[in-house]
């Protein structure tokens, strides 16, 4: 039976909201100030009326020492925003105009 999915997203943003206890050896995005950034992101998405952009809070994305982290699909672009201005730039450039913010892209190496 087909699923009745009411909406597909042009971009889907996953934001790490992992919170580990203080002093945990891996750290966590929440301990590095992620929550205010994700609140800003949500506010900007709503304020711009970006109904075709989904946002989901996640657990650990696996690169704890680099946090706070977010990844934008379908492109699979990882960002490490540090300020509210970084969030504003990601929203305007990537989520509105489909142009990734190169200076904020986190390059993953193997």
């Amino acid at each position: 039976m087909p699923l009745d999915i009411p909406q597909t997203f042009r971009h889907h943003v996953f934001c790490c909201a992992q919170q580990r206890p203080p002093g945990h050896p891996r750290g966590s995005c929440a301990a590095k100030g992620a929550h205010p950034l994700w609140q800003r992101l949500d506010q900007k998405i709503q304020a711009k009326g970006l109904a075709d952009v989904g946002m989901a809070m996640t657990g650990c994305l696996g690169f704890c020492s680099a946090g706070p982290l977010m990844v934008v699909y379908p492109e699979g672009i990882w960002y490490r925003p540090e300020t509210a201005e970084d969030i504003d730039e990601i929203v305007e450039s990537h989520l509105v105009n489909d142009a990734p913010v190169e200076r904020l892209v986190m390059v993953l190496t193997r």
Side-chain angles (χ1 to χ4, degrees):
M1 174 152 111
L3 295 175
D4 181 23
I5 300 174
Q7 178 175 4
T8 58
F9 298 116
R10 185 171 51 87
H11 295 293
H12 204 148
V13 184
F14 295 89
C15 304
C16 179
Q18 180 70 43
Q19 176 69 61
R20 291 196 175 92
H24 191 282
R26 290 186 68 191
S28 65
C29 287
K32 293 180 180 180
H35 289 291
L37 295 172
W38 308 154
Q39 288 172 341
R40 174 83 170 209
L41 178 62
D42 185 47
Q43 290 167 351
K44 289 292 183 174
I45 289 170
Q46 301 236 0
K48 294 239 176 229
L50 300 176
D52 59 352
V53 174
M55 179 183 166
M57 304 300 269
T58 73
C60 184
L61 291 173
F63 304 100
C64 307
S65 63
L69 295 176
M70 60 186 273
V71 60
V72 179
Y73 286 103
E75 300 92 337
I77 294 178
W78 291 75
Y79 287 112
R80 183 178 177 245
E82 295 180 357
T83 66
E85 292 76 20
D86 290 346
I87 293 295
D88 296 351
E89 189 173 356
I90 291 167
V91 170
E92 192 61 37
S93 183
H94 193 152
L95 303 182
V96 172
N97 294 310
D98 296 317
V101 182
E102 295 298 329
R103 71 176 189 85
L104 296 174
V105 171
M106 189 175 106
V107 179
L108 303 176
T109 59
R110 294 184 190 252

